[in-house]
Structures are given as C-alpha cells and as structure tokens.
Amino acid sequence: MKTRTVKFFALAGVLAVSLSGCSLVAPVATTKPYSASDGINQDINGVNLRNIMLVGAKSGKPLNVVFTAVNNTGDPQIATMKFIGSDGTEAQVKFLLPEGVMQYGDPRGAAENINWVDLGAQEIGSTATAYLQVSGSNEERVNVPVLDGTLDEYKPYAVTPPKN
C-alpha cells in the first residue's frame, strides 16, 4: 500500500512539472507592461500620457502631436514636449492638462488641443526622440513613433494646419 501511494505522488509530481511547460522556468511575457497601440505611454508626476504619437500627411510635414492625458493630480498641469528630429531639428510644444481625461491632436475636437511640429526631414515610419516634462518634473526621454494616415484609424489625424 505504501509503495502504491509513493508511486502515485511521484507520478503526480512528474505530471505537474511536465504540464506546467515552459512557464516553470521561462519568463511570462504577459507580466511585462507594454504599449498596446502604435503610440507610447509615459507616466509622470501623477499624469498618465497615453498613446503618444506624431501623425503627418504623406509629406511628413508638419506632424500632429496626438495623445491622451489622464491627469490624476487634482490640479491643472502643464506638459512640455520637446521633439528632436532625425536631422537634429527641434520643436517644442506645451499643453494645458486639466484634471481628468483630455484628448489632444484630434481635429474633430477643440482647435486649441491641436499642435503641429515641424521636424525637418523626419520620415513617416520612423521614431523621433522626445523629452517629456510635466509641471517642473525631470525630463523623461522616449522615442515617439511617426505615422501617417495609411491606417483608417489615423486618417483623421493626418491633416495639415490651416493657413494663417
């Protein structure tokens, strides 16, 4: 009887190890945070910047700064974004981030929430270096994707600014 019990638990142990597969020793990819869209995410001082991207027409000039801000600080914040293009061209924009959720760069929304940057020879499909800062925080360096309106979901954002 004892031998049968020992064999049973030994077999159960072998089955448990073999059925666990690679997850027993390999890292599980789903535990690593990532940006689930084409843009990038960055959290700075209680402000969550989501799906940050630059969207342009086929010429690549100018580029629309598109993102969603979630301000959980209880006070309005100012986000500064400094972009550096592949040829060294720099452009900086500032955004007022009210408490709550606000979308930026959508031409179907409020005109004051749209900002364009000219990064010279920056090509569609590349990434631009960006330094993000929220109300005096340290700058966070990220690489922001540069997209166009090829995909239907980005067509509304691939617009050119009105002529002054």
Side-chain angles (χ1 to χ4, degrees):
M1 186 74 168
K2 274 186 170 181
T3 308
R4 184 181 274 177
T5 306
V6 170
K7 286 181 183 178
F8 173 77
F9 283 113
L11 180 60
V14 169
L15 280 173
V17 169
S18 64
L19 293 177
S20 67
C22 294
S23 65
L24 183 65
V25 293
V28 179
T30 56
T31 61
K32 296 179 182 177
Y34 68 98
S35 298
S37 186
D38 292 319
I40 57 109
N41 298 332
Q42 190 68 38
D43 299 336
I44 307 171
N45 282 1
V47 175
N48 305 319
L49 303 174
R50 296 291 177 253
N51 206 23
I52 306 167
M53 65 180 82
L54 298 170
V55 182
K58 291 193 188 289
S59 70
K61 287 185 179 182
L63 299 167
N64 183 6
V65 182
V66 178
F67 69 100
T68 299
V70 182
N71 180 357
N72 296 317
T73 65
D75 295 309
Q77 302 292 318
I78 295 176
T80 304
M81 298 183 179
K82 182 170 102 176
F83 297 96
I84 302 174
S86 56
D87 64 357
T89 304
E90 293 186 18
Q92 181 174 297
V93 291
K94 291 187 179 203
F95 298 90
L96 177 61
L97 311 177
E99 173 71 15
V101 178
M102 177 68 74
Q103 290 184 312
Y104 296 86
D106 188 347
R108 300 166 293 192
E112 63 270 10
N113 292 341
I114 301 175
N115 283 278
W116 284 272
V117 294
D118 186 348
L119 294 180
Q122 190 73 35
E123 292 185 25
I124 300 296
S126 64
T127 58
T129 301
Y131 293 91
L132 311 177
Q133 187 177 37
V134 175
S135 295
S137 69
N138 291 330
E139 287 183 330
E140 301 282 338
R141 183 183 185 273
V142 295
N143 292 319
V144 176
V146 180
L147 307 170
D148 65 6
T150 301
L151 298 174
D152 287 338
E153 56 266 30
Y154 301 133
K155 277 184 184 169
Y157 303 97
V159 296
T160 55
K163 306 242 188 249
N164 291 341

